[in-house]
mmCIF file of all heavy atoms in Angstrom:
data_model
loop_
_atom_site.group_PDB
_atom_site.id
_atom_site.type_symbol
_atom_site.label_atom_id
_atom_site.label_comp_id
_atom_site.label_asym_id
_atom_site.label_seq_id
_atom_site.Cartn_x
_atom_site.Cartn_y
_atom_site.Cartn_z
ATOM 1 N N ASN V 6 -2.677 -51.583 82.387
ATOM 2 C CA ASN V 6 -3.682 -51.758 83.425
ATOM 3 C C ASN V 6 -5.053 -52.144 82.886
ATOM 4 O O ASN V 6 -5.977 -52.326 83.646
ATOM 5 C CB ASN V 6 -3.816 -50.459 84.242
ATOM 6 C CG ASN V 6 -2.525 -50.122 84.954
ATOM 7 O OD1 ASN V 6 -1.802 -51.011 85.386
ATOM 8 N ND2 ASN V 6 -2.223 -48.850 85.046
ATOM 9 N N ARG V 7 -5.185 -52.241 81.601
ATOM 10 C CA ARG V 7 -6.477 -52.580 81.001
ATOM 11 C C ARG V 7 -6.690 -54.093 81.094
ATOM 12 O O ARG V 7 -5.764 -54.885 80.987
ATOM 13 C CB ARG V 7 -6.524 -52.129 79.557
ATOM 14 C CG ARG V 7 -6.514 -50.612 79.483
ATOM 15 C CD ARG V 7 -6.797 -50.125 78.099
ATOM 16 N NE ARG V 7 -6.786 -48.675 78.115
ATOM 17 C CZ ARG V 7 -6.216 -47.928 77.196
ATOM 18 N NH1 ARG V 7 -5.614 -48.481 76.172
ATOM 19 N NH2 ARG V 7 -6.252 -46.628 77.288
ATOM 20 N N PRO V 8 -7.956 -54.504 81.249
ATOM 21 C CA PRO V 8 -8.241 -55.936 81.352
ATOM 22 C C PRO V 8 -8.003 -56.655 80.026
ATOM 23 O O PRO V 8 -7.999 -56.043 78.965
ATOM 24 C CB PRO V 8 -9.721 -55.969 81.738
ATOM 25 C CG PRO V 8 -10.267 -54.671 81.282
ATOM 26 C CD PRO V 8 -9.138 -53.683 81.371
ATOM 27 N N ASP V 9 -7.834 -57.938 80.126
ATOM 28 C CA ASP V 9 -7.677 -58.794 78.959
ATOM 29 C C ASP V 9 -8.943 -58.692 78.115
ATOM 30 O O ASP V 9 -10.046 -58.903 78.617
ATOM 31 C CB ASP V 9 -7.454 -60.230 79.433
ATOM 32 C CG ASP V 9 -7.353 -61.229 78.287
ATOM 33 O OD1 ASP V 9 -7.311 -60.812 77.113
ATOM 34 O OD2 ASP V 9 -7.307 -62.428 78.575
ATOM 35 N N PRO V 10 -8.828 -58.379 76.811
ATOM 36 C CA PRO V 10 -10.022 -58.251 75.974
ATOM 37 C C PRO V 10 -10.898 -59.499 75.983
ATOM 38 O O PRO V 10 -12.117 -59.401 75.870
ATOM 39 C CB PRO V 10 -9.462 -57.995 74.583
ATOM 40 C CG PRO V 10 -8.106 -57.429 74.812
ATOM 41 C CD PRO V 10 -7.616 -58.061 76.098
ATOM 42 N N ALA V 11 -10.316 -60.660 76.145
ATOM 43 C CA ALA V 11 -11.099 -61.896 76.170
ATOM 44 C C ALA V 11 -11.971 -61.989 77.420
ATOM 45 O O ALA V 11 -12.986 -62.676 77.424
ATOM 46 C CB ALA V 11 -10.170 -63.107 76.091
ATOM 47 N N ALA V 12 -11.601 -61.276 78.474
ATOM 48 C CA ALA V 12 -12.348 -61.324 79.732
ATOM 49 C C ALA V 12 -13.390 -60.212 79.849
ATOM 50 O O ALA V 12 -14.118 -60.149 80.824
ATOM 51 C CB ALA V 12 -11.372 -61.237 80.906
ATOM 52 N N VAL V 13 -13.477 -59.357 78.851
ATOM 53 C CA VAL V 13 -14.384 -58.211 78.905
ATOM 54 C C VAL V 13 -15.715 -58.566 78.256
ATOM 55 O O VAL V 13 -15.751 -59.200 77.209
ATOM 56 C CB VAL V 13 -13.747 -56.998 78.190
ATOM 57 C CG1 VAL V 13 -14.718 -55.844 78.120
ATOM 58 C CG2 VAL V 13 -12.475 -56.590 78.899
ATOM 59 N N ASP V 14 -16.797 -58.134 78.880
ATOM 60 C CA ASP V 14 -18.140 -58.329 78.331
ATOM 61 C C ASP V 14 -18.234 -57.578 77.011
ATOM 62 O O ASP V 14 -17.998 -56.375 76.960
ATOM 63 C CB ASP V 14 -19.182 -57.811 79.331
ATOM 64 C CG ASP V 14 -20.602 -57.950 78.838
ATOM 65 O OD1 ASP V 14 -20.827 -58.610 77.793
ATOM 66 O OD2 ASP V 14 -21.495 -57.403 79.491
ATOM 67 N N PRO V 15 -18.614 -58.229 75.906
ATOM 68 C CA PRO V 15 -18.660 -57.562 74.602
ATOM 69 C C PRO V 15 -19.846 -56.605 74.438
ATOM 70 O O PRO V 15 -19.849 -55.783 73.525
ATOM 71 C CB PRO V 15 -18.764 -58.713 73.617
ATOM 72 C CG PRO V 15 -19.400 -59.818 74.382
ATOM 73 C CD PRO V 15 -18.915 -59.644 75.806
ATOM 74 N N ALA V 16 -20.856 -56.655 75.300
ATOM 75 C CA ALA V 16 -22.044 -55.804 75.144
ATOM 76 C C ALA V 16 -21.704 -54.316 75.126
ATOM 77 O O ALA V 16 -22.174 -53.588 74.245
ATOM 78 C CB ALA V 16 -23.071 -56.125 76.210
ATOM 79 N N PRO V 17 -20.910 -53.806 76.084
ATOM 80 C CA PRO V 17 -20.571 -52.382 76.013
ATOM 81 C C PRO V 17 -19.806 -52.008 74.751
ATOM 82 O O PRO V 17 -19.967 -50.907 74.239
ATOM 83 C CB PRO V 17 -19.720 -52.152 77.259
ATOM 84 C CG PRO V 17 -20.101 -53.241 78.189
ATOM 85 C CD PRO V 17 -20.424 -54.422 77.301
ATOM 86 N N CYS V 18 -19.003 -52.928 74.236
ATOM 87 C CA CYS V 18 -18.261 -52.646 73.005
ATOM 88 C C CYS V 18 -19.219 -52.463 71.837
ATOM 89 O O CYS V 18 -19.033 -51.582 71.001
ATOM 90 C CB CYS V 18 -17.268 -53.770 72.698
ATOM 91 S SG CYS V 18 -15.963 -53.896 73.928
ATOM 92 N N ARG V 19 -20.265 -53.282 71.791
ATOM 93 C CA ARG V 19 -21.275 -53.122 70.742
ATOM 94 C C ARG V 19 -21.975 -51.782 70.897
ATOM 95 O O ARG V 19 -22.244 -51.097 69.916
ATOM 96 C CB ARG V 19 -22.292 -54.266 70.789
ATOM 97 C CG ARG V 19 -21.781 -55.556 70.184
ATOM 98 C CD ARG V 19 -22.914 -56.553 70.011
ATOM 99 N NE ARG V 19 -23.513 -56.927 71.278
ATOM 100 C CZ ARG V 19 -23.082 -57.899 72.085
ATOM 101 N NH1 ARG V 19 -22.012 -58.588 71.726
ATOM 102 N NH2 ARG V 19 -23.686 -58.186 73.206
ATOM 103 N N THR V 20 -22.270 -51.404 72.141
ATOM 104 C CA THR V 20 -22.941 -50.127 72.389
ATOM 105 C C THR V 20 -22.072 -48.962 71.927
ATOM 106 O O THR V 20 -22.564 -48.045 71.265
ATOM 107 C CB THR V 20 -23.271 -49.980 73.889
ATOM 108 O OG1 THR V 20 -24.106 -51.070 74.277
ATOM 109 C CG2 THR V 20 -23.984 -48.689 74.165
ATOM 110 N N VAL V 21 -20.798 -48.996 72.234
ATOM 111 C CA VAL V 21 -19.896 -47.926 71.812
ATOM 112 C C VAL V 21 -19.794 -47.904 70.293
ATOM 113 O O VAL V 21 -19.845 -46.840 69.666
ATOM 114 C CB VAL V 21 -18.497 -48.083 72.466
ATOM 115 C CG1 VAL V 21 -17.499 -47.133 71.840
ATOM 116 C CG2 VAL V 21 -18.603 -47.869 73.958
ATOM 117 N N SER V 22 -19.681 -49.057 69.681
ATOM 118 C CA SER V 22 -19.609 -49.136 68.232
ATOM 119 C C SER V 22 -20.869 -48.559 67.589
ATOM 120 O O SER V 22 -20.798 -47.808 66.616
ATOM 121 C CB SER V 22 -19.408 -50.592 67.803
ATOM 122 O OG SER V 22 -19.335 -50.682 66.409
ATOM 123 N N GLN V 23 -22.030 -48.886 68.142
ATOM 124 C CA GLN V 23 -23.295 -48.356 67.627
ATOM 125 C C GLN V 23 -23.350 -46.846 67.819
ATOM 126 O O GLN V 23 -23.824 -46.120 66.951
ATOM 127 C CB GLN V 23 -24.480 -49.014 68.323
ATOM 128 C CG GLN V 23 -24.652 -50.468 67.951
ATOM 129 C CD GLN V 23 -25.622 -51.198 68.873
ATOM 130 O OE1 GLN V 23 -25.995 -50.704 69.933
ATOM 131 N NE2 GLN V 23 -26.014 -52.391 68.469
ATOM 132 N N LEU V 24 -22.868 -46.384 68.949
ATOM 133 C CA LEU V 24 -22.841 -44.953 69.217
ATOM 134 C C LEU V 24 -21.989 -44.228 68.179
ATOM 135 O O LEU V 24 -22.397 -43.216 67.617
ATOM 136 C CB LEU V 24 -22.298 -44.675 70.622
ATOM 137 C CG LEU V 24 -21.994 -43.216 70.924
ATOM 138 C CD1 LEU V 24 -23.282 -42.413 71.039
ATOM 139 C CD2 LEU V 24 -21.175 -43.095 72.171
ATOM 140 N N LEU V 25 -20.800 -44.756 67.918
ATOM 141 C CA LEU V 25 -19.905 -44.127 66.954
ATOM 142 C C LEU V 25 -20.515 -44.111 65.552
ATOM 143 O O LEU V 25 -20.251 -43.199 64.766
ATOM 144 C CB LEU V 25 -18.546 -44.821 66.949
ATOM 145 C CG LEU V 25 -17.735 -44.670 68.231
ATOM 146 C CD1 LEU V 25 -16.465 -45.498 68.160
ATOM 147 C CD2 LEU V 25 -17.418 -43.222 68.536
ATOM 148 N N ASP V 26 -21.366 -45.089 65.243
ATOM 149 C CA ASP V 26 -22.050 -45.118 63.953
ATOM 150 C C ASP V 26 -23.135 -44.050 63.863
ATOM 151 O O ASP V 26 -23.529 -43.666 62.767
ATOM 152 C CB ASP V 26 -22.677 -46.492 63.700
ATOM 153 C CG ASP V 26 -21.645 -47.562 63.416
ATOM 154 O OD1 ASP V 26 -20.494 -47.208 63.069
ATOM 155 O OD2 ASP V 26 -21.984 -48.744 63.532
ATOM 156 N N ARG V 27 -23.638 -43.561 64.996
ATOM 157 C CA ARG V 27 -24.743 -42.608 65.008
ATOM 158 C C ARG V 27 -24.304 -41.152 65.060
ATOM 159 O O ARG V 27 -25.144 -40.266 64.974
ATOM 160 C CB ARG V 27 -25.660 -42.899 66.191
ATOM 161 C CG ARG V 27 -26.360 -44.251 66.034
ATOM 162 C CD ARG V 27 -27.394 -44.487 67.048
ATOM 163 N NE ARG V 27 -28.433 -43.462 66.947
ATOM 164 C CZ ARG V 27 -29.379 -43.319 67.854
ATOM 165 N NH1 ARG V 27 -29.416 -44.102 68.894
ATOM 166 N NH2 ARG V 27 -30.288 -42.372 67.712
ATOM 167 N N ILE V 28 -23.016 -40.911 65.209
ATOM 168 C CA ILE V 28 -22.527 -39.532 65.233
ATOM 169 C C ILE V 28 -21.677 -39.301 63.994
ATOM 170 O O ILE V 28 -21.322 -40.238 63.280
ATOM 171 C CB ILE V 28 -21.755 -39.216 66.539
ATOM 172 C CG1 ILE V 28 -20.527 -40.110 66.690
ATOM 173 C CG2 ILE V 28 -22.667 -39.349 67.749
ATOM 174 C CD1 ILE V 28 -19.675 -39.797 67.913
ATOM 175 N N SER V 29 -21.348 -38.058 63.746
ATOM 176 C CA SER V 29 -20.572 -37.740 62.541
ATOM 177 C C SER V 29 -19.186 -38.382 62.608
ATOM 178 O O SER V 29 -18.647 -38.589 63.711
ATOM 179 C CB SER V 29 -20.429 -36.223 62.393
ATOM 180 O OG SER V 29 -19.510 -35.719 63.341
ATOM 181 N N PRO V 30 -18.610 -38.692 61.466
ATOM 182 C CA PRO V 30 -17.259 -39.260 61.460
ATOM 183 C C PRO V 30 -16.245 -38.350 62.162
ATOM 184 O O PRO V 30 -15.340 -38.833 62.844
ATOM 185 C CB PRO V 30 -16.929 -39.393 59.972
ATOM 186 C CG PRO V 30 -18.261 -39.510 59.297
ATOM 187 C CD PRO V 30 -19.188 -38.644 60.119
ATOM 188 N N ARG V 31 -16.425 -37.045 62.030
ATOM 189 C CA ARG V 31 -15.516 -36.100 62.675
ATOM 190 C C ARG V 31 -15.627 -36.194 64.206
ATOM 191 O O ARG V 31 -14.612 -36.210 64.913
ATOM 192 C CB ARG V 31 -15.848 -34.687 62.194
ATOM 193 C CG ARG V 31 -14.910 -33.659 62.685
ATOM 194 C CD ARG V 31 -15.248 -32.329 62.076
ATOM 195 N NE ARG V 31 -14.376 -31.306 62.626
ATOM 196 C CZ ARG V 31 -14.348 -30.077 62.223
ATOM 197 N NH1 ARG V 31 -15.145 -29.688 61.253
ATOM 198 N NH2 ARG V 31 -13.546 -29.211 62.769
ATOM 199 N N ASP V 32 -16.870 -36.275 64.714
ATOM 200 C CA ASP V 32 -17.056 -36.409 66.158
ATOM 201 C C ASP V 32 -16.560 -37.764 66.657
ATOM 202 O O ASP V 32 -15.967 -37.853 67.731
ATOM 203 C CB ASP V 32 -18.526 -36.216 66.529
ATOM 204 C CG ASP V 32 -18.957 -34.758 66.467
ATOM 205 O OD1 ASP V 32 -18.077 -33.868 66.441
ATOM 206 O OD2 ASP V 32 -20.174 -34.511 66.444
ATOM 207 N N ALA V 33 -16.793 -38.805 65.875
ATOM 208 C CA ALA V 33 -16.314 -40.136 66.262
ATOM 209 C C ALA V 33 -14.784 -40.142 66.344
ATOM 210 O O ALA V 33 -14.205 -40.704 67.282
ATOM 211 C CB ALA V 33 -16.805 -41.184 65.263
ATOM 212 N N ALA V 34 -14.136 -39.495 65.384
ATOM 213 C CA ALA V 34 -12.673 -39.416 65.397
ATOM 214 C C ALA V 34 -12.187 -38.646 66.616
ATOM 215 O O ALA V 34 -11.213 -39.049 67.261
ATOM 216 C CB ALA V 34 -12.169 -38.768 64.119
ATOM 217 N N LEU V 35 -12.896 -37.576 66.960
ATOM 218 C CA LEU V 35 -12.512 -36.788 68.129
ATOM 219 C C LEU V 35 -12.623 -37.613 69.411
ATOM 220 O O LEU V 35 -11.727 -37.596 70.258
ATOM 221 C CB LEU V 35 -13.379 -35.530 68.226
ATOM 222 C CG LEU V 35 -13.061 -34.567 69.363
ATOM 223 C CD1 LEU V 35 -11.609 -34.120 69.320
ATOM 224 C CD2 LEU V 35 -13.996 -33.373 69.306
ATOM 225 N N LEU V 36 -13.705 -38.376 69.540
ATOM 226 C CA LEU V 36 -13.858 -39.240 70.715
ATOM 227 C C LEU V 36 -12.751 -40.290 70.779
ATOM 228 O O LEU V 36 -12.205 -40.566 71.851
ATOM 229 C CB LEU V 36 -15.214 -39.936 70.709
ATOM 230 C CG LEU V 36 -16.411 -39.080 71.089
ATOM 231 C CD1 LEU V 36 -17.694 -39.901 70.978
ATOM 232 C CD2 LEU V 36 -16.267 -38.514 72.481
ATOM 233 N N ARG V 37 -12.428 -40.867 69.648
ATOM 234 C CA ARG V 37 -11.355 -41.877 69.624
ATOM 235 C C ARG V 37 -10.012 -41.261 70.033
ATOM 236 O O ARG V 37 -9.266 -41.853 70.818
ATOM 237 C CB ARG V 37 -11.248 -42.502 68.233
ATOM 238 C CG ARG V 37 -12.332 -43.482 67.934
ATOM 239 C CD ARG V 37 -12.083 -44.177 66.596
ATOM 240 N NE ARG V 37 -13.188 -45.048 66.271
ATOM 241 C CZ ARG V 37 -14.104 -44.784 65.353
ATOM 242 N NH1 ARG V 37 -14.044 -43.671 64.647
ATOM 243 N NH2 ARG V 37 -15.093 -45.629 65.127
ATOM 244 N N LEU V 38 -9.730 -40.093 69.475
ATOM 245 C CA LEU V 38 -8.456 -39.442 69.801
ATOM 246 C C LEU V 38 -8.374 -39.096 71.286
ATOM 247 O O LEU V 38 -7.327 -39.251 71.916
ATOM 248 C CB LEU V 38 -8.276 -38.172 68.967
ATOM 249 C CG LEU V 38 -7.971 -38.392 67.488
ATOM 250 C CD1 LEU V 38 -8.112 -37.080 66.721
ATOM 251 C CD2 LEU V 38 -6.577 -38.974 67.317
ATOM 252 N N ARG V 39 -9.474 -38.620 71.835
ATOM 253 C CA ARG V 39 -9.463 -38.188 73.241
ATOM 254 C C ARG V 39 -9.505 -39.348 74.203
ATOM 255 O O ARG V 39 -8.759 -39.398 75.178
ATOM 256 C CB ARG V 39 -10.658 -37.242 73.494
ATOM 257 C CG ARG V 39 -10.766 -36.774 74.916
ATOM 258 C CD ARG V 39 -9.652 -35.805 75.262
ATOM 259 N NE ARG V 39 -9.834 -35.305 76.615
ATOM 260 C CZ ARG V 39 -8.956 -35.482 77.577
ATOM 261 N NH1 ARG V 39 -7.809 -36.082 77.345
ATOM 262 N NH2 ARG V 39 -9.198 -35.021 78.777
ATOM 263 N N HIS V 40 -10.386 -40.326 73.945
ATOM 264 C CA HIS V 40 -10.638 -41.360 74.947
ATOM 265 C C HIS V 40 -9.973 -42.704 74.670
ATOM 266 O O HIS V 40 -9.768 -43.474 75.600
ATOM 267 C CB HIS V 40 -12.146 -41.539 75.138
ATOM 268 C CG HIS V 40 -12.798 -40.300 75.665
ATOM 269 N ND1 HIS V 40 -12.618 -39.866 76.959
ATOM 270 C CD2 HIS V 40 -13.583 -39.375 75.068
ATOM 271 C CE1 HIS V 40 -13.288 -38.745 77.143
ATOM 272 N NE2 HIS V 40 -13.874 -38.416 76.012
ATOM 273 N N VAL V 41 -9.636 -42.976 73.429
ATOM 274 C CA VAL V 41 -8.954 -44.246 73.134
ATOM 275 C C VAL V 41 -7.447 -44.009 73.053
ATOM 276 O O VAL V 41 -6.671 -44.694 73.716
ATOM 277 C CB VAL V 41 -9.493 -44.877 71.828
ATOM 278 C CG1 VAL V 41 -8.695 -46.124 71.472
ATOM 279 C CG2 VAL V 41 -10.974 -45.201 71.957
ATOM 280 N N GLU V 42 -7.061 -43.019 72.264
ATOM 281 C CA GLU V 42 -5.634 -42.723 72.131
ATOM 282 C C GLU V 42 -5.120 -41.831 73.250
ATOM 283 O O GLU V 42 -3.910 -41.630 73.366
ATOM 284 C CB GLU V 42 -5.367 -42.100 70.761
ATOM 285 C CG GLU V 42 -5.665 -43.064 69.630
ATOM 286 C CD GLU V 42 -5.304 -42.519 68.282
ATOM 287 O OE1 GLU V 42 -4.449 -41.597 68.205
ATOM 288 O OE2 GLU V 42 -5.852 -43.015 67.288
ATOM 289 N N GLU V 43 -6.044 -41.312 74.077
ATOM 290 C CA GLU V 43 -5.729 -40.557 75.287
ATOM 291 C C GLU V 43 -4.884 -39.308 75.046
ATOM 292 O O GLU V 43 -4.007 -38.977 75.832
ATOM 293 C CB GLU V 43 -5.084 -41.469 76.333
ATOM 294 C CG GLU V 43 -6.000 -42.609 76.737
ATOM 295 C CD GLU V 43 -5.379 -43.560 77.734
ATOM 296 O OE1 GLU V 43 -4.141 -43.573 77.894
ATOM 297 O OE2 GLU V 43 -6.147 -44.314 78.353
ATOM 298 N N HIS V 44 -5.193 -38.579 73.961
ATOM 299 C CA HIS V 44 -4.539 -37.294 73.737
ATOM 300 C C HIS V 44 -5.121 -36.273 74.707
ATOM 301 O O HIS V 44 -6.303 -36.330 75.044
ATOM 302 C CB HIS V 44 -4.763 -36.811 72.301
ATOM 303 C CG HIS V 44 -3.998 -37.593 71.284
ATOM 304 N ND1 HIS V 44 -2.651 -37.399 71.061
ATOM 305 C CD2 HIS V 44 -4.382 -38.578 70.446
ATOM 306 C CE1 HIS V 44 -2.247 -38.223 70.119
ATOM 307 N NE2 HIS V 44 -3.281 -38.964 69.728
ATOM 308 N N THR V 45 -4.307 -35.333 75.118
ATOM 309 C CA THR V 45 -4.795 -34.271 75.991
ATOM 310 C C THR V 45 -5.577 -33.249 75.158
ATOM 311 O O THR V 45 -5.456 -33.207 73.927
ATOM 312 C CB THR V 45 -3.635 -33.542 76.690
ATOM 313 O OG1 THR V 45 -2.871 -32.835 75.695
ATOM 314 C CG2 THR V 45 -2.751 -34.501 77.469
ATOM 315 N N VAL V 46 -6.338 -32.427 75.848
ATOM 316 C CA VAL V 46 -7.081 -31.362 75.164
ATOM 317 C C VAL V 46 -6.107 -30.430 74.454
ATOM 318 O O VAL V 46 -6.351 -30.018 73.310
ATOM 319 C CB VAL V 46 -7.979 -30.595 76.155
ATOM 320 C CG1 VAL V 46 -8.555 -29.347 75.536
ATOM 321 C CG2 VAL V 46 -9.096 -31.503 76.673
#
Side-chain angles (χ1 to χ4, degrees):
N6 298 325
R7 293 190 179 137
D9 177 7
V13 175
D14 179 9
C18 295
R19 282 191 298 274
T20 301
V21 170
S22 180
Q23 291 167 347
L24 170 70
L25 293 175
D26 289 342
R27 294 188 60 190
I28 61 177
S29 74
R31 186 175 176 174
D32 285 344
L35 183 56
L36 285 178
R37 285 186 184 106
L38 288 168
R39 178 71 176 119
H40 297 289
V41 175
E42 295 185 22
E43 299 178 343
H44 288 282
T45 67
V46 170

